[in-house]
Amino acid sequence: MSDEHDRHDERHDGHDPDPVERALWEARARVLADLASDALDRPDVVSRLDEAMRHRRWWVEQWPRGAEFVAGLLAQDVQDAVLDSDGRWPACPLCVSGAPGAHAPHPLEVRPELGPDPHWVCPEKGVTVAAVGRLGRSPRQG
């Protein structure tokens, strides 16, 4: 075996060296993608995302089995954090008010509130709009 192969085996022995960090960064990427779909990936909002991630790091370090719940929790944290500056986010695309293309006065909700595989859901119709991390993407964009 080559030296390069040996170094690779030392770093990646088939076990994820830090599943908590991996879950956090994957959750961050998903929420950031949703923010970008609404042009909210501005530095001030991303700073709020990063602050929420720091808080969730402690939470998931205390309960590592909760790592699969981090994406939904982080999405809810950011949703709360942007309320004062940007209003209710993300606005429900299924319910429109009056004018063509106008968004409903309510935001989507993350469901389950605490669980794996979080989705954005219209609370009025009970319809799933997109998985967290997939807002604004057509089904073909995956």
Side-chain angles (χ1 to χ4, degrees):
M1 283 193 240
S2 71
D3 288 339
E4 182 178 328
H5 187 270
D6 291 341
R7 283 191 304 269
H8 178 76
D9 286 347
E10 289 171 11
R11 288 180 301 208
H12 303 287
D13 61 358
H15 296 96
D16 190 348
D18 195 345
V20 166
E21 281 300 308
R22 182 176 178 198
L24 285 164
W25 286 100
E26 286 176 359
R28 182 188 186 275
R30 290 172 68 179
V31 175
L32 184 58
D34 287 345
L35 288 167
S37 75
D38 279 333
L40 287 177
D41 52 344
R42 305 183 317 254
D44 62 315
V45 177
V46 174
S47 292
R48 291 183 205 145
L49 168 60
D50 290 342
E51 181 64 24
M53 189 172 125
R54 281 190 286 278
H55 290 307
R56 289 299 171 185
R57 178 175 283 116
W58 178 87
W59 181 85
V60 78
E61 285 172 348
Q62 303 308 305
W63 189 42
R65 290 179 41 197
E68 65 183 326
F69 307 151
V70 171
L73 292 170
L74 198 56
Q76 292 172 67
D77 293 343
V78 171
Q79 191 174 36
D80 291 342
V82 302
L83 183 60
D84 289 337
S85 63
D86 293 282
R88 295 176 177 183
W89 174 83
C92 180
L94 302 179
C95 300
V96 293
S97 59
H103 287 297
H106 67 268
L108 296 173
E109 294 179 355
V110 174
R111 302 237 178 106
E113 288 185 35
L114 180 63
D117 195 27
H119 284 73
W120 293 108
V121 174
C122 169
E124 301 294 320
K125 296 181 179 184
V127 174
T128 296
V129 173
V132 169
R134 301 281 189 228
L135 277 179
R137 295 184 181 186
S138 71
R140 287 173 283 176
Q141 288 177 309

